[in-house]
Amino acid sequence: MLLLIAGLFALFLFLGQPVAFALGLAAIPVFIFTGTMPPAVAIQKMVATTQSFPLLAVPFFILAGNLMNVTGITDRLIGFARLLTGWMAGGLAQVSIVLSFMMGGISGSAVADAAMESRLLGPAMARQGYAAPVTAVILAFGSIITATIPPSIGLILFGFINEVSIGRLFLAGIVPGMLLTLTLMLAAWLVAKRRGYVPDLTEPPRFRDLWASFLDSVWALMFPVILIVGFRFGIFTATEAGAFLVVYALAVGVFVYRELTLARMREALESTVHDLGMIMLLIMMAGVLGYAITLERAPQQIAEAVAYLTADPVMVLALVTALLIVSGMFLEGAANILLVTPIVMPVLVEAGWDPIHMGILLVLLINLGGLTPPVGVIMFTVCGILNVKTGAYVRASAPFFLALAIFFMVLAAAPGLSTALPRLLM
């Protein structure tokens, strides 16, 4: 039955069905042919999956991020990032990576960040002589930083589906996010030096200019700080934080920058409805298929297979890593988190790995799949906007894949990078 489910899912994807529909249709055999559950249970499971208080964090954070994007905050963050790093080798490349770090607390989505930066920075990088494939790679790889910086939508979904504290996951992602930013900046610096890309600014900024830009961007930079303080002192849960940040974004747009018009408000609401519709449909269908897979004891069978192969925790993690990288090549990130992580998490916990540490590592690995062929969503988003061929993108990405491989090995070998902050503050 599990092979039939996998075969149907692959078939529906091959036929061009949306991932959400492929997930739901692949579960049909369990409910119709096994006799263990009536088909009505599938409908009930679709509805029941959405009835979750922690899941309310998703629409709140998406709306807050979209409101931030239409209030002029993005332009101010670009100016601040340019002053911080524009004087380095490969100045605009460094700007894009630092901007991804700062935008992680606003967009919460790697795909949204990659699309935004491709439109804003892509033409400017082309004018400064950056090869189009290199530009695509830098913008795509930088976007996965948003997978760790709160409020990451991926961490919210992971915490919801695996019953792990979302607040702790948010705190756990901050240090790895900083380390990932530095790793990608170093890779961009080496590539820029080798290709002779000049800095965007001729000299480092004066402190006065940097301070003025910081003050202009401080309302956006306070975004993740409010989350950390709120979680540390128990002021709100992740869901309540999302609701608070919607009000915060409205206040900044109306009373501080005064750029939130009715037309921009409508734009933010339309984007939120579009994003939320896609995510919620995936959640509902993944809930049905996940329930079907549970009925067929897939987690137990995979755990038994892994235990038969090895009992070494490092080898267990290596097997799961390989599985997630391969599945990430074919599935969109949210679908991967909802479908695959509930199956592999019991195996990892049984092997002795910390759930918080694994949450950060697994969500980053899943986003890594979005950077690779054949169905990397982030890759296709950036290449489509910048008109770059996939082959050229893959050839230009080698230094960054090497940098990420080193980063993942360090992160896997040092759980304290993820767990120290949650243990200290919560």
Side-chain angles (χ1 to χ4, degrees):
M1 183 57 68
L2 290 174
L3 290 175
L4 177 60
I5 291 172
L8 284 174
F9 179 66
L11 174 64
F12 289 129
L13 284 181
F14 178 76
L15 294 175
Q17 289 293 318
V19 174
F21 292 136
L23 289 171
L25 292 171
I28 288 176
V30 174
F31 293 95
I32 292 182
F33 301 121
T34 62
T36 55
M37 287 287 174
V41 173
I43 307 300
Q44 294 171 5
K45 193 64 183 175
M46 288 175 61
V47 177
T49 303
T50 66
Q51 308 303 299
S52 167
F53 183 73
L55 199 59
L56 276 175
V58 175
F60 283 137
F61 279 122
I62 290 176
L63 177 56
N66 284 322
L67 286 172
M68 288 288 197
N69 286 336
V70 299
T71 55
I73 285 177
T74 299
D75 295 334
R76 289 168 172 83
L77 287 178
I78 290 176
F80 184 51
R82 185 169 180 264
L83 286 176
L84 278 177
T85 59
W87 51 274
M88 300 178 183
L92 281 179
Q94 306 292 358
V95 169
S96 71
I97 294 169
V98 172
L99 181 61
S100 291
F101 176 78
M102 293 190 290
M103 286 297 293
I106 295 177
S107 71
S109 165
V111 177
D113 178 74
M116 181 273 297
E117 292 198 24
S118 296
R119 294 187 180 95
L120 290 176
L121 295 177
M125 294 174 75
R127 287 193 296 270
Q128 288 201 4
Y130 286 75
V134 175
T135 299
V137 168
I138 291 170
L139 296 177
F141 276 71
S143 71
I144 70 168
I145 298 170
T146 62
T148 67
I149 305 300
S152 164
I153 302 300
L155 292 181
I156 294 173
L157 294 178
F158 179 89
F160 161 72
I161 202 70
N162 292 288
E163 299 182 353
V164 178
S165 168
I166 296 173
R168 288 180 178 273
L169 285 171
F170 280 176
L171 293 175
I174 293 173
V175 174
M178 292 178 176
L179 179 60
L180 178 57
T181 301
L182 293 174
T183 302
L184 292 175
M185 288 180 69
L186 177 59
W189 183 83
L190 293 173
V191 169
K193 280 288 188 182
R194 184 167 63 87
R195 290 178 173 263
Y197 294 148
V198 298
D200 185 42
L201 301 176
T202 56
E203 59 184 16
R206 294 175 300 177
F207 177 78
R208 181 176 59 188
D209 296 332
L210 195 60
W211 180 249
S213 181
F214 169 78
L215 292 178
D216 201 28
S217 308
V218 72
W219 294 102
L221 299 174
M222 285 292 292
F223 208 51
V225 175
I226 292 172
L227 292 178
I228 296 171
V229 173
F231 293 141
R232 170 63 182 87
F233 294 99
I235 299 172
F236 41 57
T237 64
T239 303
E240 293 162 348
F244 171 80
L245 290 176
V246 169
V247 177
Y248 176 85
L250 285 170
V252 171
V254 174
F255 300 110
V256 180
Y257 294 142
R258 300 181 179 180
E259 295 184 18
L260 185 60
T261 63
L262 287 176
R264 290 188 172 187
M265 182 69 179
R266 179 177 178 179
E267 178 187 341
L269 291 173
E270 287 178 349
S271 297
T272 300
V273 170
H274 179 271
D275 295 342
L276 185 59
M278 176 187 66
I279 291 174
M280 289 306 297
L281 187 60
L282 279 170
I283 290 172
M284 293 165 66
M285 295 303 184
V288 176
L289 184 57
Y291 187 63
I293 289 174
T294 301
L295 287 177
E296 293 301 310
R297 299 184 69 255
Q300 293 88 338
Q301 291 184 40
I302 291 176
E304 291 167 2
V306 171
Y308 177 77
L309 291 172
T310 179
D312 182 79
V314 176
M315 289 305 299
V316 170
L317 180 58
L319 290 172
V320 171
T321 297
L323 171 65
L324 285 173
I325 291 175
V326 172
S327 65
M329 294 179 183
F330 297 93
L331 280 178
E332 192 271 334
N336 232 330
I337 291 170
L338 295 166
L339 185 62
V340 181
T341 60
I343 297 175
V344 300
M345 271 300 290
V347 179
L348 292 168
V349 173
E350 180 68 23
W353 292 101
D354 184 276
I356 299 293
H357 179 215
M358 287 298 98
I360 302 302
L361 189 63
L362 298 191
V363 171
L364 276 169
L365 284 170
I366 287 170
N367 276 272
L368 176 63
L371 302 172
T372 57
V375 196
V377 178
I378 302 172
M379 176 189 71
F380 280 126
T381 298
V382 174
C383 288
I385 294 173
L386 300 178
N387 194 27
V388 173
K389 294 185 180 298
T390 304
Y393 166 93
V394 172
R395 288 191 293 273
S397 64
F400 291 88
F401 272 120
L402 177 60
L404 282 187
I406 296 171
F407 166 78
F408 280 121
M409 286 189 287
V410 171
L411 183 59
L417 292 172
S418 302
T419 58
L421 205 55
R423 288 174 180 169
L424 179 66
L425 298 180
M426 292 188 73

